[in-house]
Amino acid sequence: MTLHSIQIGNVTIPNNILLAPLAGYTSYPLRRLCKEYGAGLCYTEMVSAKGLKYGSENTQALLYTDEKEGVCAAQIFGSEPEIMRAACEHEKLAPFPIVDINMGCPVPKIYKNGEGSALLEDPLLAERLVKACVKSGKIITVKFRIGICADKLVTAEFAKRMAGAGAAAITVHGRTKDKIYAGEVNFSEIEKAKNAVDIPVIANGGVFSNADAEALIARTGADGVMVARAALFDPQIFCDLTGTPRESKLTMFEKQLEWTMQVCDERFTTVFMRKMAAFYSKGERGAAAFKEKMFRASSIGEVLALARETWR
Ligand SMILES: Cc1cc2nc3c(=O)[nH]c(=O)nc-3n(C[C@H](O)[C@H](O)[C@H](O)COP(=O)(O)O)c2cc1C
């Protein structure tokens, strides 16, 4: 991979390999790991703008960050311009200089509310959302899909609108909403977005190796790549993509567990780290038996002991 910095508003991102927002996963511990392993910028999972306004969202853990993590972007979702602007101005988002707006989420509850990928069908509202958020003084970026389905592709036009409304960068997930996370990534649509705007364009979809990242850049001309599911199975994919030295799986697991305890209670940490252990064991010999034992572990101590027994 040829690495280079990216300018997003007045923030210089040290390299062009980014960690995607992943609901349920990209809280502080995973973001900090990926940052250590070389990611240029990491995103929080999507946070409801309304939830922030009414204090109903469990934002304590979702939006925890500190100086050890470095610059990080927060992602919000919603469909009401003034509520989105208020979310950008909320004190909980104060540590995040970049706020990304989710315009790609395919989950039915979100889509039916006119949020996430539904905004692809209402470009005027999408534009108003960006304009309102820009007024907050935050650097606003947008992550969107190439369309709702194959015969309704909107990429270049939507990219232009977002840039025109004041977005400082866009991320294009090269799949349609109806494909969810499956299927081929449409390189040529991402390329059309890149050719349509002068702001940085990040390409997203299907990066599981160095070769995938190189192909995505080569075939789209994008300024950078965003890695999502691959980081769940192996956060050290960022080492491979950025030339950062790898460390042992156990060391990685112990760090993530320690940082999760820093932010979450014992119960959550146990359940979350069991889930991560299952991801990290994929492809190993004896993974099925390991996962079975792991899911019976009922304390942080047991989770840790099992990880040490297996990965030492
Ligand atoms: C479990 C999971 C949670 C996700 N949560 C978010 C989210 O909060 N915000 C978002 O914009 N995309 C979310 N996505 C989509 C990813 O950021 C990414 O666009 C998608 O997985 C395609 O990239 P990949 O092929 O590298 O996985 C999520 C995907 C998965 C699998």
PDB file of all heavy atoms in Angstrom, residues 20-23 25 45-46 75 102 143 173 175 181 204-207 227-229, ligand 1:
ATOM      1  N   ALA A  20     -13.599   1.701   9.991  1.00  0.00           N
ATOM      2  CA  ALA A  20     -15.006   2.066   9.787  1.00  0.00           C
ATOM      3  C   ALA A  20     -15.774   2.118  11.105  1.00  0.00           C
ATOM      4  O   ALA A  20     -15.382   1.487  12.087  1.00  0.00           O
ATOM      5  CB  ALA A  20     -15.664   1.021   8.883  1.00  0.00           C
ATOM      6  N   PRO A  21     -16.904   2.822  11.097  1.00  0.00           N
ATOM      7  CA  PRO A  21     -17.825   2.698  12.228  1.00  0.00           C
ATOM      8  C   PRO A  21     -18.475   1.316  12.199  1.00  0.00           C
ATOM      9  O   PRO A  21     -18.925   0.878  11.135  1.00  0.00           O
ATOM     10  CB  PRO A  21     -18.869   3.796  11.975  1.00  0.00           C
ATOM     11  CG  PRO A  21     -18.695   4.239  10.572  1.00  0.00           C
ATOM     12  CD  PRO A  21     -17.387   3.741  10.049  1.00  0.00           C
ATOM     13  N   LEU A  22     -18.503   0.633  13.335  1.00  0.00           N
ATOM     14  CA  LEU A  22     -19.120  -0.696  13.427  1.00  0.00           C
ATOM     15  C   LEU A  22     -19.959  -0.743  14.691  1.00  0.00           C
ATOM     16  O   LEU A  22     -19.397  -0.770  15.805  1.00  0.00           O
ATOM     17  CB  LEU A  22     -18.034  -1.779  13.484  1.00  0.00           C
ATOM     18  CG  LEU A  22     -17.294  -2.091  12.184  1.00  0.00           C
ATOM     19  CD1 LEU A  22     -15.959  -2.759  12.460  1.00  0.00           C
ATOM     20  CD2 LEU A  22     -18.152  -2.976  11.279  1.00  0.00           C
ATOM     21  N   ALA A  23     -21.272  -0.716  14.543  1.00  0.00           N
ATOM     22  CA  ALA A  23     -22.160  -0.687  15.705  1.00  0.00           C
ATOM     23  C   ALA A  23     -21.917  -1.911  16.578  1.00  0.00           C
ATOM     24  O   ALA A  23     -21.870  -3.039  16.083  1.00  0.00           O
ATOM     25  CB  ALA A  23     -23.608  -0.636  15.239  1.00  0.00           C
ATOM     26  N   TYR A  25     -19.134  -2.450  18.202  1.00  0.00           N
ATOM     27  CA  TYR A  25     -17.719  -2.822  18.270  1.00  0.00           C
ATOM     28  C   TYR A  25     -16.733  -1.669  18.364  1.00  0.00           C
ATOM     29  O   TYR A  25     -15.752  -1.764  19.090  1.00  0.00           O
ATOM     30  CB  TYR A  25     -17.351  -3.696  17.063  1.00  0.00           C
ATOM     31  CG  TYR A  25     -18.124  -4.982  17.064  1.00  0.00           C
ATOM     32  CD1 TYR A  25     -19.229  -5.147  16.222  1.00  0.00           C
ATOM     33  CD2 TYR A  25     -17.808  -6.004  17.944  1.00  0.00           C
ATOM     34  CE1 TYR A  25     -19.975  -6.311  16.243  1.00  0.00           C
ATOM     35  CE2 TYR A  25     -18.554  -7.168  17.979  1.00  0.00           C
ATOM     36  CZ  TYR A  25     -19.633  -7.323  17.131  1.00  0.00           C
ATOM     37  OH  TYR A  25     -20.380  -8.470  17.175  1.00  0.00           O
ATOM     38  N   GLU A  45     -19.018   4.084  16.618  1.00  0.00           N
ATOM     39  CA  GLU A  45     -20.202   3.533  15.958  1.00  0.00           C
ATOM     40  C   GLU A  45     -21.239   4.650  15.838  1.00  0.00           C
ATOM     41  O   GLU A  45     -21.110   5.713  16.459  1.00  0.00           O
ATOM     42  CB  GLU A  45     -20.774   2.363  16.743  1.00  0.00           C
ATOM     43  CG  GLU A  45     -21.333   2.712  18.101  1.00  0.00           C
ATOM     44  CD  GLU A  45     -21.919   1.470  18.785  1.00  0.00           C
ATOM     45  OE1 GLU A  45     -21.158   0.666  19.335  1.00  0.00           O
ATOM     46  OE2 GLU A  45     -23.140   1.339  18.747  1.00  0.00           O
ATOM     47  N   MET A  46     -22.277   4.402  15.046  1.00  0.00           N
ATOM     48  CA  MET A  46     -23.284   5.450  14.854  1.00  0.00           C
ATOM     49  C   MET A  46     -24.055   5.700  16.164  1.00  0.00           C
ATOM     50  O   MET A  46     -24.414   4.773  16.878  1.00  0.00           O
ATOM     51  CB  MET A  46     -24.242   5.082  13.733  1.00  0.00           C
ATOM     52  CG  MET A  46     -25.006   3.814  13.936  1.00  0.00           C
ATOM     53  SD  MET A  46     -26.047   3.537  12.492  1.00  0.00           S
ATOM     54  CE  MET A  46     -27.242   2.425  13.168  1.00  0.00           C
ATOM     55  N   GLN A  75     -19.590   9.269  14.649  1.00  0.00           N
ATOM     56  CA  GLN A  75     -20.619   9.178  13.611  1.00  0.00           C
ATOM     57  C   GLN A  75     -22.003   9.326  14.234  1.00  0.00           C
ATOM     58  O   GLN A  75     -22.294   8.721  15.280  1.00  0.00           O
ATOM     59  CB  GLN A  75     -20.562   7.843  12.869  1.00  0.00           C
ATOM     60  CG  GLN A  75     -21.464   7.898  11.623  1.00  0.00           C
ATOM     61  CD  GLN A  75     -21.674   6.560  10.950  1.00  0.00           C
ATOM     62  OE1 GLN A  75     -22.142   5.617  11.567  1.00  0.00           O
ATOM     63  NE2 GLN A  75     -21.344   6.483   9.673  1.00  0.00           N
ATOM     64  N   ASN A 102     -24.228   9.377   9.004  1.00  0.00           N
ATOM     65  CA  ASN A 102     -24.526   8.064   8.424  1.00  0.00           C
ATOM     66  C   ASN A 102     -25.645   8.186   7.392  1.00  0.00           C
ATOM     67  O   ASN A 102     -26.769   8.563   7.724  1.00  0.00           O
ATOM     68  CB  ASN A 102     -24.931   7.098   9.545  1.00  0.00           C
ATOM     69  CG  ASN A 102     -25.212   5.698   9.031  1.00  0.00           C
ATOM     70  OD1 ASN A 102     -25.886   5.515   8.025  1.00  0.00           O
ATOM     71  ND2 ASN A 102     -24.704   4.709   9.722  1.00  0.00           N
ATOM     72  N   LYS A 143     -20.835   9.353   5.168  1.00  0.00           N
ATOM     73  CA  LYS A 143     -20.582   7.986   4.679  1.00  0.00           C
ATOM     74  C   LYS A 143     -21.876   7.481   4.058  1.00  0.00           C
ATOM     75  O   LYS A 143     -22.915   7.471   4.720  1.00  0.00           O
ATOM     76  CB  LYS A 143     -20.149   7.092   5.838  1.00  0.00           C
ATOM     77  CG  LYS A 143     -19.904   5.630   5.460  1.00  0.00           C
ATOM     78  CD  LYS A 143     -19.210   4.898   6.612  1.00  0.00           C
ATOM     79  CE  LYS A 143     -18.982   3.430   6.326  1.00  0.00           C
ATOM     80  NZ  LYS A 143     -20.156   2.611   6.559  1.00  0.00           N
ATOM     81  N   HIS A 173     -19.373   3.539   0.396  1.00  0.00           N
ATOM     82  CA  HIS A 173     -19.446   2.083   0.516  1.00  0.00           C
ATOM     83  C   HIS A 173     -19.994   1.583  -0.828  1.00  0.00           C
ATOM     84  O   HIS A 173     -21.149   1.866  -1.171  1.00  0.00           O
ATOM     85  CB  HIS A 173     -20.371   1.703   1.692  1.00  0.00           C
ATOM     86  CG  HIS A 173     -20.562   0.228   1.850  1.00  0.00           C
ATOM     87  ND1 HIS A 173     -21.483  -0.315   2.713  1.00  0.00           N
ATOM     88  CD2 HIS A 173     -19.940  -0.822   1.268  1.00  0.00           C
ATOM     89  CE1 HIS A 173     -21.431  -1.641   2.635  1.00  0.00           C
ATOM     90  NE2 HIS A 173     -20.503  -1.974   1.774  1.00  0.00           N
ATOM     91  N   ARG A 175     -21.518  -0.660  -2.243  1.00  0.00           N
ATOM     92  CA  ARG A 175     -22.623  -1.626  -2.393  1.00  0.00           C
ATOM     93  C   ARG A 175     -23.945  -0.873  -2.250  1.00  0.00           C
ATOM     94  O   ARG A 175     -24.012   0.173  -1.608  1.00  0.00           O
ATOM     95  CB  ARG A 175     -22.575  -2.704  -1.306  1.00  0.00           C
ATOM     96  CG  ARG A 175     -21.350  -3.593  -1.319  1.00  0.00           C
ATOM     97  CD  ARG A 175     -21.493  -4.746  -0.309  1.00  0.00           C
ATOM     98  NE  ARG A 175     -20.333  -5.627  -0.344  1.00  0.00           N
ATOM     99  CZ  ARG A 175     -19.286  -5.522   0.475  1.00  0.00           C
ATOM    100  NH1 ARG A 175     -19.263  -4.577   1.407  1.00  0.00           N
ATOM    101  NH2 ARG A 175     -18.272  -6.354   0.379  1.00  0.00           N
ATOM    102  N   TYR A 181     -24.310  -6.318   3.330  1.00  0.00           N
ATOM    103  CA  TYR A 181     -22.844  -6.346   3.310  1.00  0.00           C
ATOM    104  C   TYR A 181     -22.306  -7.374   2.320  1.00  0.00           C
ATOM    105  O   TYR A 181     -21.111  -7.629   2.272  1.00  0.00           O
ATOM    106  CB  TYR A 181     -22.285  -6.638   4.717  1.00  0.00           C
ATOM    107  CG  TYR A 181     -22.780  -5.640   5.729  1.00  0.00           C
ATOM    108  CD1 TYR A 181     -23.618  -6.025   6.757  1.00  0.00           C
ATOM    109  CD2 TYR A 181     -22.444  -4.292   5.618  1.00  0.00           C
ATOM    110  CE1 TYR A 181     -24.112  -5.096   7.656  1.00  0.00           C
ATOM    111  CE2 TYR A 181     -22.925  -3.355   6.501  1.00  0.00           C
ATOM    112  CZ  TYR A 181     -23.764  -3.763   7.520  1.00  0.00           C
ATOM    113  OH  TYR A 181     -24.247  -2.839   8.396  1.00  0.00           O
ATOM    114  N   ASN A 204     -14.844   2.238   0.517  1.00  0.00           N
ATOM    115  CA  ASN A 204     -15.130   1.215   1.533  1.00  0.00           C
ATOM    116  C   ASN A 204     -15.817   0.008   0.899  1.00  0.00           C
ATOM    117  O   ASN A 204     -16.658   0.154   0.023  1.00  0.00           O
ATOM    118  CB  ASN A 204     -16.016   1.830   2.629  1.00  0.00           C
ATOM    119  CG  ASN A 204     -16.634   0.799   3.567  1.00  0.00           C
ATOM    120  OD1 ASN A 204     -17.858   0.738   3.695  1.00  0.00           O
ATOM    121  ND2 ASN A 204     -15.831  -0.007   4.212  1.00  0.00           N
ATOM    122  N   GLY A 205     -15.423  -1.171   1.414  1.00  0.00           N
ATOM    123  CA  GLY A 205     -16.077  -2.406   1.005  1.00  0.00           C
ATOM    124  C   GLY A 205     -15.082  -3.478   0.624  1.00  0.00           C
ATOM    125  O   GLY A 205     -14.256  -3.275  -0.273  1.00  0.00           O
ATOM    126  N   GLY A 206     -15.160  -4.599   1.338  1.00  0.00           N
ATOM    127  CA  GLY A 206     -14.440  -5.799   0.923  1.00  0.00           C
ATOM    128  C   GLY A 206     -12.940  -5.789   1.107  1.00  0.00           C
ATOM    129  O   GLY A 206     -12.252  -6.586   0.470  1.00  0.00           O
ATOM    130  N   VAL A 207     -12.398  -4.936   1.984  1.00  0.00           N
ATOM    131  CA  VAL A 207     -10.947  -4.975   2.206  1.00  0.00           C
ATOM    132  C   VAL A 207     -10.633  -5.974   3.323  1.00  0.00           C
ATOM    133  O   VAL A 207     -10.964  -5.742   4.491  1.00  0.00           O
ATOM    134  CB  VAL A 207     -10.379  -3.574   2.559  1.00  0.00           C
ATOM    135  CG1 VAL A 207      -8.909  -3.682   2.961  1.00  0.00           C
ATOM    136  CG2 VAL A 207     -10.541  -2.628   1.384  1.00  0.00           C
ATOM    137  N   VAL A 227     -11.611   0.162   6.374  1.00  0.00           N
ATOM    138  CA  VAL A 227     -11.707  -1.271   6.659  1.00  0.00           C
ATOM    139  C   VAL A 227     -12.788  -1.483   7.722  1.00  0.00           C
ATOM    140  O   VAL A 227     -12.792  -0.794   8.739  1.00  0.00           O
ATOM    141  CB  VAL A 227     -10.354  -1.786   7.214  1.00  0.00           C
ATOM    142  CG1 VAL A 227     -10.434  -3.268   7.558  1.00  0.00           C
ATOM    143  CG2 VAL A 227      -9.226  -1.503   6.235  1.00  0.00           C
ATOM    144  N   ALA A 228     -13.691  -2.462   7.486  1.00  0.00           N
ATOM    145  CA  ALA A 228     -14.753  -2.700   8.480  1.00  0.00           C
ATOM    146  C   ALA A 228     -14.645  -4.113   9.048  1.00  0.00           C
ATOM    147  O   ALA A 228     -13.898  -4.350  10.005  1.00  0.00           O
ATOM    148  CB  ALA A 228     -16.121  -2.430   7.868  1.00  0.00           C
ATOM    149  N   ARG A 229     -15.334  -5.093   8.422  1.00  0.00           N
ATOM    150  CA  ARG A 229     -15.430  -6.417   9.053  1.00  0.00           C
ATOM    151  C   ARG A 229     -14.085  -7.084   9.286  1.00  0.00           C
ATOM    152  O   ARG A 229     -13.907  -7.801  10.281  1.00  0.00           O
ATOM    153  CB  ARG A 229     -16.337  -7.324   8.210  1.00  0.00           C
ATOM    154  CG  ARG A 229     -17.804  -6.969   8.348  1.00  0.00           C
ATOM    155  CD  ARG A 229     -18.621  -7.645   7.294  1.00  0.00           C
ATOM    156  NE  ARG A 229     -18.210  -7.195   5.967  1.00  0.00           N
ATOM    157  CZ  ARG A 229     -18.622  -7.736   4.830  1.00  0.00           C
ATOM    158  NH1 ARG A 229     -19.435  -8.755   4.854  1.00  0.00           N
ATOM    159  NH2 ARG A 229     -18.220  -7.257   3.671  1.00  0.00           N
TER     160      ARG A 229
HETATM  161  C1  LIG B   1     -21.630  -5.339  12.646  1.00  0.00           C
HETATM  162  C2  LIG B   1     -21.600  -4.119  11.737  1.00  0.00           C
HETATM  163  C3  LIG B   1     -21.913  -2.878  12.244  1.00  0.00           C
HETATM  164  C4  LIG B   1     -21.889  -1.744  11.401  1.00  0.00           C
HETATM  165  N1  LIG B   1     -22.175  -0.524  11.935  1.00  0.00           N
HETATM  166  C5  LIG B   1     -22.062   0.597  11.159  1.00  0.00           C
HETATM  167  C6  LIG B   1     -22.272   1.896  11.707  1.00  0.00           C
HETATM  168  O1  LIG B   1     -22.524   2.084  12.912  1.00  0.00           O
HETATM  169  N2  LIG B   1     -22.158   2.958  10.854  1.00  0.00           N
HETATM  170  C7  LIG B   1     -21.842   2.806   9.515  1.00  0.00           C
HETATM  171  O2  LIG B   1     -21.738   3.788   8.787  1.00  0.00           O
HETATM  172  N3  LIG B   1     -21.650   1.580   8.979  1.00  0.00           N
HETATM  173  C8  LIG B   1     -21.732   0.487   9.776  1.00  0.00           C
HETATM  174  N4  LIG B   1     -21.470  -0.742   9.241  1.00  0.00           N
HETATM  175  C9  LIG B   1     -21.001  -0.838   7.833  1.00  0.00           C
HETATM  176  C10 LIG B   1     -19.471  -0.801   7.763  1.00  0.00           C
HETATM  177  O3  LIG B   1     -18.950   0.401   8.286  1.00  0.00           O
HETATM  178  C11 LIG B   1     -18.987  -0.971   6.308  1.00  0.00           C
HETATM  179  O4  LIG B   1     -19.524   0.056   5.531  1.00  0.00           O
HETATM  180  C12 LIG B   1     -19.400  -2.317   5.697  1.00  0.00           C
HETATM  181  O5  LIG B   1     -19.219  -3.382   6.619  1.00  0.00           O
HETATM  182  C13 LIG B   1     -18.620  -2.607   4.410  1.00  0.00           C
HETATM  183  O6  LIG B   1     -17.238  -2.715   4.662  1.00  0.00           O
HETATM  184  P1  LIG B   1     -16.498  -4.165   4.724  1.00  0.00           P
HETATM  185  O7  LIG B   1     -16.842  -4.870   3.431  1.00  0.00           O
HETATM  186  O8  LIG B   1     -15.031  -3.816   4.880  1.00  0.00           O
HETATM  187  O9  LIG B   1     -17.055  -4.890   5.920  1.00  0.00           O
HETATM  188  C14 LIG B   1     -21.534  -1.885  10.039  1.00  0.00           C
HETATM  189  C15 LIG B   1     -21.226  -3.151   9.542  1.00  0.00           C
HETATM  190  C16 LIG B   1     -21.260  -4.276  10.356  1.00  0.00           C
HETATM  191  C17 LIG B   1     -20.894  -5.614   9.788  1.00  0.00           C
END
